[in-house]
Amino acid sequence: MSLRRSIYKSPAQMRLMLAPGLATAASLDAARAAIRAGATTLEIDVAAEDAILALGGQPNFKLEQGYHHTVCASVNDDVVHGIPGRRILAAGDLVSIDSGAILDGWNGDAAFSFVIPDPTRPELVAERQKLSAVTEQSLWHGIARLAVARHLNEVGEAIEDYVEAQGQYGILTDYVGHGIGRSMHEAPPVFNYRVRQKGPDVKPGLVVAIEPMVVLGSIETYVRDDDWTVATSDGLAAAHWEHSVAVHKDGIWVLTAEDGGAAGLAPLGIIPMPIQ
Ligand code: MG
C-alpha cells in the first residue's frame, strides 16, 4: 500500500478528462487559424484563450508559477516554452503552439507545429515542413504503440525508431512527456526515446501526454534570458507535437483530438475506442 496517488484513473475520472481535452483541441484550432505572416504571437495567445473560455474552461498554463499566458509560442530555433508577445510572425517561420485547458479540475495538454508558407524560399519551407511532419508522425507512432504496449517506455522506442528511419533528425532529451489528470504534469515521465527501464505497466487508467520534440541539428538546448524559452544551441529549427491519451478497458482514446485520434491512427492500424 502506498499513500501516493495512483497513476491510474477510474473510467469516471477519464470521462471527466474529455471536456478539457476538447477545450484544448479547440484552442489549438483557434491558434492555428490565427497563425499568419504579420500576426503577433500574442494574437495567437488571445485566440486560444477565447476558445477555452467559450467552452467553460480555463487556460491551465496560467496556473504554472510565473507564467501568464494561455499558450507557449515557440518560433524556429525556439523549441518549447516560448512566451507570447510582440514578436511578429514572418513567412517561412516554423511556429509551435502548446496549449492546455482545465475544466472541473481536470486537465488537457496538446501542441502542434506549423510552417507559414513562403513562396520565395521553397527549400527552407520544405525542410521545416518535413521536420514538422516527422515530429507529428513520430507522435502518432508513439500513440499507436501505447495502444499495444505492455510497458510505457515502449512509446519512446516507437518514437525513436520512427524518427531515426526518416533521416538526420535529433530527438530532444532535456524535456519529456508526462502523466496528466488533476494536475497538468503528473507522474510518470513519458520518454520520447529509448531508455533502459521498462516504465510502468500500460493498463486501463493510464493517461499520458506524449510530446516529442525533434530538431534539425544538435539536441543541445539552452534557456533564453526570459527564463522560459528553450532554444536550440545551434540555432537550427525545432518542432513539437503533443496529445493527451487515455488507456481504458476497450482501447485508447486521444483526449485532445475531436475524433479520438482516428484519422492519425488509421494508417497505423489502430482504431481508438470511446471511454465507456
Ligand atoms: Mg505537456
Side-chain angles (χ1 to χ4, degrees):
M1 272 297 285
S2 163
L3 292 174
R4 285 180 303 165
R5 186 192 290 162
S6 167
I7 63 169
Y8 301 100
K9 276 105 184 155
S10 70
Q13 289 175 323
M14 289 191 285
R15 284 194 296 273
L16 286 171
M17 296 187 71
L18 291 168
L22 291 173
T24 301
S27 74
L28 291 181
D29 287 346
R32 167 67 194 83
I35 294 177
R36 58 180 170 77
T40 65
T41 50
L42 189 61
E43 289 172 44
I44 292 159
D45 188 70
V46 170
E49 177 168 17
D50 288 348
I52 291 173
L53 297 177
L55 291 172
Q58 296 287 332
N60 55 10
F61 287 18
K62 290 190 176 187
L63 302 177
E64 294 288 308
Q65 184 76 33
Y67 200 77
H68 307 297
H69 292 90
T70 296
V71 306
C72 293
S74 308
V75 184
N76 298 336
D77 54 324
D78 292 349
V79 189
V80 287
H81 303 171
I83 304 173
R86 285 177 294 186
R87 179 177 186 147
I88 296 170
L89 296 174
D93 278 351
L94 191 169
V95 187
S96 297
I97 302 293
D98 193 347
S99 181
I102 184 166
L103 216 152
D104 291 335
W106 293 88
N107 288 274
D109 188 6
F112 72 94
S113 294
F114 178 75
V115 182
I116 301 175
D118 183 353
T120 70
R121 293 186 293 174
E123 286 175 13
L124 174 129
V125 168
E127 182 182 58
R128 290 178 170 182
Q129 282 177 336
K130 171 113 192 272
L131 172 66
S132 177
V134 165
T135 311
E136 179 184 15
Q137 285 308 310
S138 79
L139 170 61
W140 287 115
H141 279 73
I143 295 170
R145 181 66 68 87
L146 183 69
V148 297
R150 292 183 57 196
H151 297 100
L152 179 59
N153 292 351
E154 292 174 45
V155 168
E157 290 178 20
I159 292 170
E160 180 174 317
D161 287 347
Y162 175 79
V163 172
E164 281 214 332
Q166 304 312 307
Q168 293 292 317
Y169 296 97
I171 303 171
L172 241 71
T173 54
D174 290 345
Y175 301 88
V176 298
H178 49 90
I180 181 166
R182 287 194 187 276
S183 300
M184 182 168 55
H185 297 119
E186 297 183 350
V190 182
F191 300 100
N192 300 308
Y193 46 88
R194 238 180 209 87
V195 295
R196 287 161 63 93
Q197 300 80 6
K198 290 180 174 178
D201 291 347
V202 173
K203 62 181 188 181
L206 185 67
V207 186
V208 290
I210 305 172
E211 51 176 325
M213 289 148 264
V214 179
V215 293
L216 284 175
S218 163
I219 63 170
E220 194 181 320
T221 64
Y222 69 101
V223 177
R224 292 194 189 275
D225 289 341
D226 61 18
D227 286 339
W228 282 99
T229 311
V230 176
T232 60
S233 295
D234 61 12
L236 295 178
H240 177 213
W241 283 79
E242 177 180 20
H243 273 305
S244 301
V245 189
V247 179
H248 58 97
K249 70 174 174 47
D250 300 320
I252 63 165
W253 187 256
V254 179
L255 297 162
T256 45
E258 267 180 37
D259 66 353
L265 291 167
L268 302 175
I270 302 292
I271 299 169
M273 301 297 288
I275 303 167
Q276 299 296 322

